[in-house]
């Protein structure tokens, strides 16, 4: 028993001495570690905003960014952001912006992506795609930014980080805060409203149901977001909008771009009924044509196409589009012909004027849509 007590005392003494030694080493090396970390940050900042001679640390509502100064004048700013990629640790990067709101640089500081595959996102050929992008520009894989083959998740993570950094600097450095937007439910008729906007992986389409002056349902109809990563936003953002009955809600931090895409799609769906802060309505509300209000008959309308006026004849019966026929046009036949067949067929099949555009023939299709609206304009409200 006495030996056990003695052994316990010795072990306790050894642990105490070891702990004291570790504490002493930590206290001795901590200033050196902090100095090295600060030196690394300063070096990265100089790469992020090359024209700057010095940097000023600025904190806004707990968020930190660094303003680059040259001869006493701000020439840009940088912010440290992180974004979850394929590796176990998030990708840490500095996003630099000039004083006009354009991306100066993207400097990757740390990552744990797959060597030789995911780590290729550090290559100048990939990061160079972000240079010159404005804070107002969309940044989405497959359209604005080409990803690296075999490293899609890593590529998207960097794009998300750049978008996050640009948004932070847009508000905190440039002072361009997003305006408050209010849905004027008093003007929204009961019904379903479809909208779309760009998310992280492509177009997000939603359907918003309004009844009794409230949003009663938001369904995400289509998206190309990353499975797993985007799931919290796909499931959570509709609930947040419905809870607040508005667009001014917090985004899901782990899926910022997807969250903002959903909000933008809801805004697109209800764009005719949104008032921005200050009381101005934006954009002006377009008249709504309810086919149920249109008497049976044949109506003719005209609107500008891509190359000239397009004239249509619209037949309505029983509150439905029975036929939409092109009477005359000046469009290129090889392009417009298939587009005419597609858009008029979709209108009749779906019983709506607002059908999807045809790739490569947007001007022509919009001309047909506007011509049909003009034909039925007398019954718009």
């Amino acid at each position: 028993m006495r030996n056990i007590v003695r052994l316990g005392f010795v072990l306790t003494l050894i642990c105490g001495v070891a702990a004291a030694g570790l504490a002493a080493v930590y206290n001795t090396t901590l200033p050196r570690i902090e100095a090295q970390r600060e030196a690394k940050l300063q070096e990265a900042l100089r790469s992020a905003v090359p024209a700057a001679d010095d940097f000023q640390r600025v904190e806004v509502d707990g968020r930190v960014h660094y303003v680059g100064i040259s001869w006493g004048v701000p020439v840009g700013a940088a912010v440290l952001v992180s974004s979850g990629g394929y590796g176990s640790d998030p990708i840490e990067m500095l996003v630099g912006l000039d004083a006009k709101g354009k991306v100066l640089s993207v400097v990757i500081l740390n990552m744990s992506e797959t060597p030789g595959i995911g780590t290729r996102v550090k290559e100048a050929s990939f990061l160079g795609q972000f240079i010159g992008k404005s804070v107002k520009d969309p940044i989405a894989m497959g359209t604005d930014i080409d990803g690296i083959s075999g490293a899609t998740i890593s590529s998207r993570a960097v794009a998300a980080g750049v978008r996050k950094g640009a948004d932070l600097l847009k508000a905190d450095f440039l002072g361009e805060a997003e305006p408050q937007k209010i849905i004027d439910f008093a003007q929204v008729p009961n019904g379903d409203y479809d909208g779309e906007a760009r998310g992280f992986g492509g177009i997000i389409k939603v359907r918003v149901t309004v009844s009794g002056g409230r949003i009663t349902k938001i369904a995400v109809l289509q998206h190309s977001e990353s499975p797993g990563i985007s799931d919290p936003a796909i499931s959570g953002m509709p609930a947040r909008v419905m809870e607040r009955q508005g667009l001014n809600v917090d985004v899901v931090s782990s899926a910022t771009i997807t969250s903002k895409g959903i909000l933008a799609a809801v805004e697109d769906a209800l764009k005719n009924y949104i008032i921005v802060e200050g009381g101005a309505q934006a954009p002006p509300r377009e008249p709504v044509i309810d086919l149920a209000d249109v008497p049976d008959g044949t109506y003719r309308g005209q609107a500008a196409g891509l190359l000239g006026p397009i004239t249509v004849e619209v037949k309505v019966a029983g509150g439905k589009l029975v036929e939409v026929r092109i009477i005359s046009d000046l469009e290129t036949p090889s392009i417009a012909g298939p587009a005419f067949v597609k858009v008029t067929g979709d209108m009749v099949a779906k019983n709506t004027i607002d059908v999807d555009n045809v790739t490569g023939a947007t001007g022509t299709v919009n001309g047909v849509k506007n011509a049909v609206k003009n034909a039925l304009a007398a019954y718009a409200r």
Side-chain angles (χ1 to χ4, degrees):
M1 182 66 181
R2 186 175 301 170
N3 289 336
I4 294 176
V5 173
R6 184 183 300 113
L7 180 60
F9 175 76
V10 171
L11 289 175
T12 301
L13 182 61
I14 293 173
C15 290
V17 172
L22 289 173
V25 171
Y26 176 79
N27 290 331
T28 301
T29 58
L30 180 61
R32 189 179 304 170
I33 294 172
E34 292 294 337
Q36 291 175 346
R37 185 177 300 166
E38 181 63 22
K40 183 179 180 180
L41 175 61
Q42 291 298 320
E43 181 181 356
L45 286 171
R46 286 192 292 272
S47 298
V49 188
D53 302 321
D54 193 16
F55 290 91
Q56 178 182 355
R57 185 181 186 274
V58 179
E59 185 170 341
V60 179
D61 295 333
R63 301 183 299 271
V64 174
H65 69 274
Y66 300 85
V67 177
I69 308 293
S70 179
W71 295 94
V73 177
V75 292
V79 64
L80 183 64
V81 296
S82 63
S83 180
Y86 187 79
S88 57
D89 297 326
I91 300 175
E92 294 183 352
M93 67 191 85
L94 268 176
V95 179
L97 224 63
D98 67 17
K100 295 182 179 179
K102 292 188 176 181
V103 177
L104 282 171
S105 60
V106 180
V107 182
I108 295 180
L109 303 178
N110 296 297
M111 64 164 57
S112 60
E113 304 303 285
T114 305
I117 303 176
T119 53
R120 290 182 59 201
V121 296
K122 297 180 68 174
E123 295 176 0
S125 58
F126 174 69
L127 295 179
Q129 298 179 86
F130 299 100
I131 309 305
K133 287 283 187 184
S134 168
V135 292
K136 299 178 181 179
D137 290 339
I139 299 177
M141 300 304 304
T143 52
D144 308 295
I145 303 296
D146 294 326
I148 294 176
S149 178
T152 302
I153 295 177
S154 301
S155 302
R156 289 184 173 183
V158 174
V162 175
R163 177 76 272 166
K164 181 179 179 180
D167 287 344
L168 287 171
L169 291 175
K170 178 182 178 182
D172 295 346
F173 171 57
L174 299 175
E176 298 181 12
E178 293 293 330
Q180 298 292 300
K181 298 175 182 178
I182 302 170
I183 302 170
D184 187 3
F185 285 108
Q187 303 298 323
V188 186
N190 293 345
D192 293 331
Y193 299 85
D194 290 353
E196 62 180 54
R198 182 171 293 175
F200 188 63
I203 296 298
I204 297 174
K205 294 185 178 182
V206 304
R207 176 165 295 159
V208 182
T209 302
V210 177
S211 179
R214 290 180 58 82
I215 297 175
T216 57
K217 183 178 180 181
I218 299 175
V220 178
L221 304 179
Q222 176 185 319
H223 72 86
S224 302
E225 307 301 278
S226 302
I229 298 175
S230 66
D231 291 350
I234 297 297
S235 61
M237 289 306 296
R240 294 186 184 189
V241 173
M242 289 175 61
E243 180 181 357
R244 293 290 298 272
Q245 289 294 303
L247 300 169
N248 302 306
V249 301
D250 293 333
V251 299
V252 177
S253 59
S254 60
T256 302
I257 297 180
T258 300
S259 298
K260 291 185 175 181
I262 293 172
L263 286 176
V266 174
E267 180 181 346
D268 181 58
L270 300 175
K271 60 181 179 292
N272 295 326
Y273 310 99
I274 290 178
I275 300 173
V276 297
E277 123 185 286
Q281 193 166 2
R285 189 172 76 84
E286 294 182 3
V288 177
I289 299 172
D290 188 343
L291 292 170
D293 296 335
V294 181
D296 293 355
T298 301
Y299 305 85
R300 183 168 291 198
Q302 187 180 84
L306 182 64
L307 301 178
I310 297 174
T311 303
V312 302
E313 195 171 80
V314 183
K315 186 176 181 180
V316 179
K320 295 183 180 298
L321 290 174
V322 176
E323 183 181 19
V324 177
R325 190 159 62 93
I326 309 299
I327 301 300
S328 64
D329 73 277
L330 297 174
E331 307 298 282
T332 304
S334 60
I335 298 175
F340 285 151
V341 173
K342 179 73 165 60
V343 67
T344 57
D346 285 351
M347 285 182 179
V348 173
K350 299 178 181 179
N351 195 40
T352 180
I353 302 170
D354 297 316
V355 295
D356 293 338
N357 280 329
V358 177
T359 302
T362 301
T364 299
V365 171
N366 284 337
V368 175
K369 292 180 182 179
N370 291 331
V372 174
K373 290 178 181 177
N374 290 339
L376 305 178
Y379 304 98
R381 55 181 173 82

